[in-house]
Amino acid sequence: MTVGSPAVPGSPRPTKRLVQLVPALALTAMFVALIPAEGGFPTRVWYPTALFLLGLVVVLALAQGRLPLPVAKSSIVAVAAAAAFTAWSFLSIAWADVQALAWEGANRTLLYFLAFALLAALPLTARAAMTVLSVFAVGTAFVGLLELMLGLGDPGSAFLGGRFAIPADYANANAAFFLIASWPALLLAAEKTLPAALRGLLLGSAGVLAELALVCQSRGSAAAAGVTALLIVALAPDRIRLIAVMGLVGAALALAAPGLLDATNEVVAGGGDLAAVIRRLLETVLVTFAALAVGGFLLARLDRTIGEGTRRLRLIVLGAAAALAIGVLAAGVATGNSPRAVIAGASDDVEAELRTSRYGSSGSQSRRGEHWRVALGEFRQRPVGGMGVDNFGVAYIRERRNDVEEPLYPHSLPVRIVSQTGLVGTVLFAVFLVFALIAAFSRSRVSRANRIAVLAAVGPFVYWFIHGAADWLWEFPGLSLPALGFLGLAGAIGHERADLGPSRTGRNTARLALAAAG
């Protein structure tokens, strides 16, 4: 059942809503399920995922009596550009140095844009879209907690260089898994029309996601999160509530940070029991979740009783007070200190731990500049078609100036697109992004509820693109699928299509197909 009020006259019939909602929820569950499966990175994981998507397209086509097509005109242009970009990626096999790598990269591209096209063809109501995005945010937080618990069984594999390294064995990608889901959690926790219990659950989940991202110690993710936050706040229809919610999570994170970073810094120093470190992290995160969930619930209930005339001013005061109180409670319970000691020492502790963590490290071992030099050098040699999809590793070995590493990817989505698909691929990808965003933000003007749902759907893409501009996130389907899929969903929110419901022939054929599959 979707959150919110029941259907009103003129809204889609329940059968039509189910035809839209069930596939969207199935895709969302798949997005979440990819996270513990090494982020979907191995081909043994994402190839079956592609088959699942193709099967879903077939079932929808049989149920509706036709292929599922995007409902917005701008989305249709975006899908056409994406299809052309995918075809160009396959065509690059012809001039790639290693054709097997290009074939694999083109198949991955097909997977991503299939998800975009499928969700762009499901015109969910704003309420249904909020339901889908809530499942994604809460599900990701639950998976993060589960991964932390499972780390107790094999503590040695949970950290790499003192950074939380599961499930993907790459700390930057791990931080992105948690932060990509934090934007729907924050935006929907601030949505006044949602039930108070759901808002509390979303706020607690946002706290879990923020703290798990922190212990990954990814400087790139922190920078991307800051830029994304500025954009989201600027676009939000109710900035005061959103800032209050972000303040709650930020205060809890700041007060819990010394304990979280001290535990991971202890791993770097080679001291202490790894299992004990994980237990400390788990206790802190669980306390934060409980405190934020209860505080978010109470604040949501209070939000509905405050008069509209003084609502904003009081929310600012209440939000700031609640943020401080909940953060102090979480830190005090986790560390065993009194509230006065927590407040007095919080600032000094955060500064000290950040200085000794990777966040405060002045030196950087990143060789992204060398990666980009090689990739862009290949573009200058082959500007029209590029070097071929996923063939960067071959070029790097040939052109590198050191033998320290052999990266397979250029650590930047824009550099990847330009160097591997050339000018043709770059133009096609740019057209895809522009029209996908036009479709999304055109829906945000329909109503306030639409604007919230669209922003919550676009938030994961914005973070993914900013962080991916300086990292290799494209290669993780657990990141790229929700980012691009929810971007497609954003362009369909609030659309109505009279012929969306299944025909009798389509229903019967779908039942036979599902029976045969079972």
Side-chain angles (χ1 to χ4, degrees):
M1 180 181 296
T2 60
V3 294
S5 58
V8 295
S11 64
R13 295 193 305 271
T15 301
K16 289 186 177 182
R17 289 202 298 269
L18 284 177
V19 170
Q20 303 163 32
L21 183 59
V22 171
L25 286 173
L27 279 174
T28 302
M30 183 197 71
F31 296 161
V32 174
L34 286 174
I35 298 173
E38 300 178 64
F41 180 76
T43 54
R44 69 176 186 277
V45 175
W46 66 260
Y47 268 116
T49 301
L51 293 177
F52 171 80
L53 280 175
L54 288 171
L56 192 56
V57 169
V58 171
V59 170
L60 283 174
L62 292 174
Q64 299 178 19
R66 57 170 177 74
L67 283 173
L69 297 174
V71 293
K73 292 180 180 179
S74 298
S75 291
I76 293 173
V77 177
V79 167
F85 177 79
T86 303
W88 185 254
S89 298
F90 277 104
L91 190 60
S92 74
I93 297 171
W95 57 82
D97 291 332
V98 181
Q99 294 183 331
L101 291 176
W103 171 256
E104 182 178 307
N107 279 329
R108 191 189 292 111
T109 302
L110 175 62
L111 167 66
Y112 295 163
F113 292 123
L114 188 60
F116 173 86
L118 190 54
L119 282 171
L122 298 175
L124 299 181
T125 64
R127 296 295 187 184
M130 291 181 192
T131 299
V132 169
L133 294 163
S134 297
V135 169
F136 176 67
V138 174
T140 302
F142 175 78
V143 166
L145 281 172
L146 185 61
E147 288 292 314
L148 194 56
M149 292 177 187
L150 293 177
L152 290 170
D154 186 13
S157 66
F159 295 94
L160 288 176
R163 307 166 70 189
F164 190 52
I166 52 178
D169 292 332
Y170 181 49
N172 290 355
N174 287 337
F177 286 126
F178 305 130
L179 289 176
I180 204 172
S182 67
W183 308 108
L186 289 168
L187 282 158
L188 297 179
E191 173 50 32
K192 64 181 180 180
T193 63
L194 294 182
L198 177 58
R199 291 176 66 183
L201 179 61
L202 286 164
L203 188 63
S205 298
V208 170
L209 295 166
E211 292 188 350
L212 290 175
L214 179 72
V215 296
C216 294
Q217 297 202 23
S218 167
R219 289 173 295 191
S221 70
V227 176
T228 305
L230 293 175
L231 292 173
I232 294 296
V233 169
L235 294 171
D238 195 340
R239 298 182 185 89
I240 300 300
R241 278 191 181 82
L242 180 58
I243 291 172
V245 164
M246 293 174 72
L248 283 166
V249 175
L253 179 63
L255 289 165
L260 294 169
L261 292 176
D262 178 64
T264 53
N265 290 341
E266 192 174 298
V267 177
V268 177
D273 180 6
L274 286 179
V277 168
I278 295 176
R279 281 193 291 270
R280 285 168 56 191
L281 295 175
L282 186 58
E283 289 170 2
T284 301
V285 174
L286 286 174
V287 168
T288 300
F289 170 77
L292 285 174
V294 172
F297 171 77
L298 295 176
L299 192 61
R301 292 293 299 270
L302 189 61
D303 186 14
R304 293 190 174 188
T305 63
I306 296 175
E308 195 64 39
T310 58
R311 183 186 299 273
R312 294 196 170 193
L313 179 60
R314 293 186 183 184
L315 272 177
I316 294 174
V317 176
L318 289 169
L324 180 61
I326 291 175
V328 169
L329 175 64
V333 173
T335 63
N337 294 323
S338 66
R340 178 179 295 180
V342 169
I343 295 174
S347 178
D348 292 339
D349 288 345
V350 169
E351 182 181 356
E353 294 298 341
L354 285 174
R355 190 165 52 245
T356 56
S357 73
R358 189 174 185 274
Y359 291 110
S361 174
S362 58
S364 175
Q365 297 179 347
S366 173
R367 297 183 178 84
R368 284 173 173 78
E370 178 69 1
H371 302 166
W372 300 342
R373 179 191 67 80
V374 171
L376 295 177
E378 290 294 311
F379 168 71
R380 284 190 291 269
Q381 293 180 25
R382 292 181 274 187
V384 176
M387 70 179 81
V389 175
D390 277 7
N391 268 242
F392 170 76
V394 179
Y396 189 83
I397 292 175
R398 183 174 60 243
E399 302 294 338
R400 63 184 176 181
R401 293 172 178 170
N402 63 71
D403 57 358
V404 176
E405 59 179 359
E406 295 182 359
L408 296 176
Y409 312 108
H411 286 69
S412 171
L413 176 58
V415 173
R416 178 195 185 275
I417 299 297
V418 169
S419 63
Q420 297 181 13
T421 64
L423 289 172
V424 174
T426 301
V427 170
L428 291 173
F429 193 81
V431 171
F432 156 70
L433 288 187
V434 168
F435 279 90
L437 290 171
I438 289 174
F441 286 105
S442 67
R443 302 309 304 160
S444 70
R445 295 194 295 268
V446 173
S447 66
R448 181 188 175 281
N450 262 38
R451 189 171 180 183
I452 292 291
V454 166
L455 198 56
V458 171
F461 166 79
V462 173
Y463 170 82
W464 169 85
F465 188 81
I466 293 172
H467 189 175
D471 217 329
W472 55 290
L473 302 187
W474 172 272
E475 287 73 23
F476 288 92
L479 293 170
S480 298
L481 280 172
L484 294 171
F486 290 143
L487 178 62
L489 174 66
I493 292 174
H495 269 286
E496 290 189 17
R497 187 163 59 191
D499 61 344
L500 184 66
S503 63
R504 180 177 300 176
T505 303
R507 287 196 300 269
N508 293 335
T509 308
R511 292 191 187 104
L512 290 174
L514 291 172

